[in-house]
Amino acid sequence: MTEKKAARSPGSGVQSVERVFELLELVTDAGGDVTLSELAGSTDLPLPTIHRLLRTLVGLGYARQLPNRRYALGPRLIRIGEGASRQFGALARPQLKRLVDELGESANMAILDGDMVVYVAQVPSSHSMRMFTEVGRRAHLHDTGVGKAILAQLPDETVRGIVGRAGMPTPTPHSIGSVDALLSELQVIRERGYAIDDQEQEIGVRCFSMAVPDAPTPTAVSVSGPISRVDERFGARAVPLLRRAAATIGADLED
């Protein structure tokens, strides 16, 4: 944690509120726990101010102090996050439904949550054989379409940190199992503009995914189904529709 947060412009808001959220964001960016000195090195806030704000957050349950004296996010943030995720998912559902109506396969939206991806919305296909992902399910980033679309938006060093902490399990023979292979795949995704999960999470399932531009937290939408239906020709139809859906969701989030 060496890069310091930019100073807030005077009069831009309630200063103490801005400082609290800056600290919470710094703890999140650090991977979930951090020391006082690390926080002080990442912000222009004085150390006594950081300590005072953290004591308040700990008292309210929005932060906690670990036995090793590091500070971590607190349990009361879970309820807030779950509520925000539900509202976030509801905002995207019309676009996901449109994808299902036009493509006939299940559509999902997922966000980055720590070192994992969490699904916040789904509209299922009407096919009897269809893909179903439970809203709230967490998954690794390296072997999911939404996860790789999200990782492609991040610097390589951030990607290394995420997979270093979360690990890189290989649930199928098609899963990516090394950091170098993942970074090569992410470069292809950046150039191509979309990600493909080609039986990497589950045998017989293929997924096309695209990142949502300008989302407040890294976010991606996807369509998925059995490889017998989700083939190269399907992808040619799906990519422009995913691009439109992602752009619309991104614009809605800015309103």
Side-chain angles (χ1 to χ4, degrees), residues 98-184:
R98 189 174 179 184
L99 285 171
V100 174
D101 290 344
E102 293 174 323
L103 294 168
E105 302 297 341
S106 299
N108 306 279
M109 187 171 79
I111 63 173
L112 181 65
D113 182 27
D115 294 328
M116 304 285 279
V117 66
V118 61
Y119 290 88
V120 295
Q122 183 189 64
V123 175
S125 163
S126 60
H127 289 292
S128 57
M129 179 193 275
R130 64 190 181 191
M131 301 306 107
F132 179 78
T133 299
E134 183 180 359
V135 171
R137 173 176 170 255
R138 290 165 60 83
H140 284 85
L141 289 125
H142 72 284
D143 60 1
T144 56
V146 287
K148 290 193 293 182
I150 287 171
L151 288 178
Q153 308 301 303
L154 306 176
D156 283 356
E157 284 310 303
T158 301
V159 173
R160 288 182 184 275
I162 288 172
V163 298
R165 291 185 296 268
M168 296 185 69
T170 52
T172 83
H174 302 279
S175 306
I176 297 173
S178 74
V179 176
D180 288 343
L182 176 62
L183 294 178
S184 295

Side-chain angles (χ1 to χ4, degrees), residues 156-231:
D156 283 356
E157 284 310 303
T158 301
V159 173
R160 288 182 184 275
I162 288 172
V163 298
R165 291 185 296 268
M168 296 185 69
T170 52
T172 83
H174 302 279
S175 306
I176 297 173
S178 74
V179 176
D180 288 343
L182 176 62
L183 294 178
S184 295
E185 172 76 0
L186 296 181
Q187 186 55 41
V188 172
I189 293 169
R190 292 176 186 123
E191 295 169 358
R192 186 174 58 198
Y194 61 92
I196 304 173
D197 164 7
D198 194 1
Q199 305 186 80
E200 295 164 52
Q201 179 72 200
E202 183 178 348
I203 291 293
V205 177
R206 187 173 287 124
C207 168
F208 288 82
S209 183
M210 191 169 295
V212 173
D214 303 319
T217 190
T219 303
V221 292
S222 68
V223 286
S224 58
I227 59 174
S228 58
R229 296 195 303 259
V230 180
D231 53 16

Side-chain angles (χ1 to χ4, degrees), residues 6 16 28 40 67 83 96 100 124 131 143 151 161 166 211 225 239 252:
S16 59
T28 302
L96 299 184
V100 174
M131 301 306 107
D143 60 1
L151 288 178
V239 167
D252 288 345

